[in-house]
DNA sequence: AGCATGAATGCAATCGGTTGCAGCAATCGT
DNA sequence: ACGATTGCTGCAACCGATTGCATTCATGCT
């Protein structure tokens, strides 16, 4: 502000230049030093509203998360924050509770706050809001889920490989009746994992009717529990279950207990994500580990890359790079050999 | 913006008044309607940077959390968001990772972004940053933890009652050698719970040497595990443990397993907070339920109250109201009668 | 009719940095 | 020695919404 300039005996324009790293080369080193110490003395903090107003950049990015209480997302958020903070950006986290209206509200609120871009973890396969957003040209990176139209850069775990690993593990244990309790088919993760599951069992020469798929209406334990009951009604001879994610697996665990089935002695169970506390379940869950922190970090990097380019060229290159991060199977105690036939 | 005003055939000042609910009474109803439809047509979103610049209010509050991956905090954050969003405010969440340097950085960054106030869940008993912040006069509300100097309004669970309930429960089961694995004594929750523990056992007529306290260096499972080992080295005759929080309890569970002790048959265990997944542990944890969502919601309400007053009177009333929300004991499977003497 | 009243709107300053352009001095080149 | 170049700084416009004040016009009152 002008107080600082006055104290340093210069014009406020010079003070501004001295304080801004990218323009400080324009002022005399001695003057710059004087200004900086003056700023220090006065405890000066630049008013970012004024800066944004003039520069049209807020150094803030909006992060849309479907549900903070799902342990999957906090690490993603941290990864995002880490990368962003290192570059002087701030992440604005917002919950949508998987509610499209709430999502729209949050999105508008953030746009109004002049965020420079978005990292979005709430994508549905068909997503009007994102279509509109694409038209408007806001920089956006998708994380975890994506839309059917591949309009945006996208970072996710390698779901196909993950599911293949899970099925191979179960096959290796001797299972031949493997079911999949899938996540909602309105999300890309839901269909990708179903497709990978089908491919894996088919490759192993298992007849489709011995590899049923039921769909859970959401990625939550209660929904997973209901879907598992449904599965076991129709296919009581199932010996192993691949769950769409760890919360569905947790619900499956509840369903098994309710039916008097032991895991893994009667039925083996594999989760997906390796979320926090998956190793504390009873039994500790065998699951596919997705590097959540890296997911967020990589998404943030992609967005920054996009923002840099935006700044330089003034126009966004039409970039919809997809990044799959490697996953691996973590074997714990929820999987074992199938019970002897007819036991 | 002026485009809207032009389309509606009015001056931009009128447009501004028409669009702002609090000043829309100043313009003709018909004109206001015309402006609103014009704004709608053009997809106008007000530039909040410009508004903040002029009004010195950003309708944004900063939320400082020690660790998002601790399941205690996401519900708090949601409670905050819910109340804030309903009033047109946005919450800016920031992680500090329990790191004072990082906390300072985040705090400065948020101040620079002109937040109207803070909700802080990272308070230490001695906290230079907060002392400075108090001097500067920023509206702040503390949640969960507080500083020794009671400078700020503060919302927390009723820890003293909670701990009393836990101890009574154990006494009722017949335990007479109850230990407390406490949280860090640098935080108010750590000392409050120790004090309440000591008071409860003393009231019950238990000799202090039969009610030892060991301190865990942090609210995490690994630290809790180490502290529990230390406890059991020194006091092998312990039959029940009150943990400083659920993560410490989880660590205690690991320690017990490592030592070949069964829970609850050999040793009973009570947690604190009733965090998400505490019911999935092996065994499901008996714990004190703190209403996390309400904690956040109430803190947000207190802050809004403060902000409203700030706006009216121009000067903050020196208010440091304390709100304790009621807690209750949730009995699960980690507590039972002590083993028969000498078994 | 004449003047006061009040509602509705326009005008212009303002918030606090940023930045294109101009001015000025010192140094350089020939 | 003189014009050109370079380095540094000042000037002033500008970003977009808000708001105190002035203006206009219609209505009410006597």
């Amino acid at each position: 502000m002008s107080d600082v300039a006055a104290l340093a005996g210069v014009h406020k324009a010079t003070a501004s230049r001295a304080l801004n790293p990218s323009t400080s080369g324009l002022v005399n080193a001695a003057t710059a030093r004087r200004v900086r110490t003056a700023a220090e003395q006065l405890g000066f903090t630049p008013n970012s509203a004024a800066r944004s107003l003039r520069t049209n950049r807020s150094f803030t990015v909006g992060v849309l998360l479907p549900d903070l209480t799902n342990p999957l997302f906090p690490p993603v958020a941290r990864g995002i924050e880490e990368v962003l903070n290192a570059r002087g950006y701030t992440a604005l986290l917002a919950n949508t509770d998987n509610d499209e209206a709430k999502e729209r509200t949050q999105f508008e609120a953030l746009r109004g706050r002049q965020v420079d871009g978005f990292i979005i973890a709430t994508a549905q396969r068909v997503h009007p809001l994102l279509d509109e957003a694409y038209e408007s040209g806001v920089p956006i990176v998708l994380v975890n889920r994506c839309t059917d139209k591949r309009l945006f850069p996208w970072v996710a775990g390698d779901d196909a490989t993950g599911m293949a690993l899970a099925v191979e593990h179960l096959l290796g244990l001797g299972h031949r009746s493997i079911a999949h309790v899938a996540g909602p088919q309105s999300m890309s993760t839901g269909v990708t994992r179903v497709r990978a599951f089908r491919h894996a069992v088919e490759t192993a020469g298992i007849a489709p009717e011995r590899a049923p798929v039921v769909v859970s209406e959401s990625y939550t334990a209660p929904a997973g529990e209901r879907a598992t009951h449904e599965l076991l009604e129709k296919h009581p001879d199932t010996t192993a279950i691949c769950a769409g994610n760890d919360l569905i697996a947790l619900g499956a665990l509840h369903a098994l207990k309710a039916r008097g089935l032991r895991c893994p002695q009667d039925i083996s169970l594999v989760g997906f994500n390796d979320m926090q506390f998956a190793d504390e379940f009873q039994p500790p869950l065998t699951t596919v580990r997705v590097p959540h922190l890296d997911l967020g970090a990589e998404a943030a990097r992609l967005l920054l890359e996009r923002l840099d380019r935006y700044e330089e060229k003034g126009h966004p290159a039409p970039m919809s790079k997809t990044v799959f991060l490697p996953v691996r199977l973590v074997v714990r105690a929820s999987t074992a050999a199938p019970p002897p036939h007819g036991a």
Side-chain angles (χ1 to χ4, degrees), chain A residues 28-329:
Chain A
N28 187 302
T31 314
R33 209 162 344 101
R34 221 168 58 243
V35 172
R36 271 195 297 274
T37 60
E40 195 120 352
Q41 270 184 42
L42 272 55
F44 167 74
T45 340
N47 182 326
S48 62
R51 170 180 295 154
S52 311
L53 182 57
R54 177 64 215 235
T55 60
N56 235 347
R57 315 261 287 101
S58 65
F59 287 90
T60 297
V61 329
V63 178
L64 257 38
L65 301 172
D67 180 13
L68 253 190
T69 63
N70 178 341
L72 169 65
F73 296 106
V76 175
R78 274 196 48 180
I80 292 174
E81 265 191 335
E82 239 159 64
V83 171
L84 251 33
N85 290 348
R87 285 276 305 267
Y89 281 76
T90 300
L92 255 156
L93 271 39
N95 257 298
T96 68
D97 286 324
N98 280 308
D99 172 345
E100 219 161 314
K102 200 164 172 187
E103 180 184 23
R104 190 172 283 270
T105 310
Q106 297 272 27
F107 184 82
E108 306 288 355
L110 289 169
R111 287 222 62 182
R113 281 184 170 66
Q114 313 300 117
V115 299
D116 295 335
F118 286 89
I119 295 176
I120 295 184
T122 58
Q124 302 280 327
R125 287 174 52 208
V126 176
H127 209 140
L129 177 62
L130 287 180
D131 293 346
E132 292 168 35
Y134 180 75
E135 295 302 324
S136 80
V138 222
I140 289 180
V141 171
L142 265 29
V143 68
N144 197 32
R145 311 175 186 168
C146 74
T147 55
D148 277 351
K149 307 185 192 172
R150 293 295 172 76
L151 300 174
F152 306 102
W154 171 44
V155 182
D158 187 350
D159 281 9
T161 302
M163 185 54 83
L165 289 172
V167 172
E168 276 165 29
H169 170 62
L170 292 171
L171 289 168
L173 289 169
H175 292 274
R176 292 298 176 268
S177 292
I178 306 177
H180 178 34
V181 180
Q185 298 299 293
S186 58
M187 302 173 190
S188 62
T189 48
V191 297
T192 305
R193 291 171 196 172
V194 166
R195 197 169 308 144
F197 173 77
R198 290 226 164 96
H199 179 74
V201 291
E202 190 179 331
T203 305
I206 302 222
E209 59 273 18
R210 312 245 13 179
V213 172
V214 301
V215 174
S216 170
E217 69 198 36
S218 73
Y219 279 125
T220 62
E225 187 172 352
R226 283 192 294 277
T228 305
H229 278 301
E230 185 193 330
L231 167 73
L232 294 177
E233 289 303 332
K234 287 198 240 164
H235 304 274
D237 53 340
T238 301
T239 67
I241 297 175
C242 287
N245 80 346
D246 291 340
L247 288 173
I248 289 179
L250 179 58
L253 235 30
H254 293 165
L256 295 182
K257 267 174 209 149
R259 301 176 84 87
L261 293 166
R262 294 160 307 162
C263 174
Q265 294 89 335
D266 299 318
I267 292 201
S268 286
L269 179 64
V270 182
F272 212 106
N273 279 344
D274 194 21
M275 70 176 208
Q276 200 184 8
F277 301 114
D279 54 338
E280 301 294 344
F281 293 171
Q282 167 62 350
L285 196 63
T286 294
T287 187
V288 176
R289 173 171 297 170
V290 175
H292 303 132
L293 199 104
D294 299 335
L295 235 52
E298 189 58 29
R301 265 181 233 116
L302 245 47
L303 184 65
L304 288 175
E305 198 180 297
R306 174 88 148 72
L307 292 176
D308 289 344
R309 194 170 325 184
Y310 200 92
E311 195 170 8
E312 280 171 34
K313 312 211 323 180
H315 258 304
M319 172 186 78
S320 65
K321 180 154 53 164
T322 297
V323 178
F324 285 154
L325 266 31
V327 301
R328 65 187 188 80
L329 187 74

Side-chain angles (χ1 to χ4, degrees), chain A residues 4-11 34:
Chain A
V4 175
L7 179 57
V10 296
H11 191 268
R34 221 168 58 243

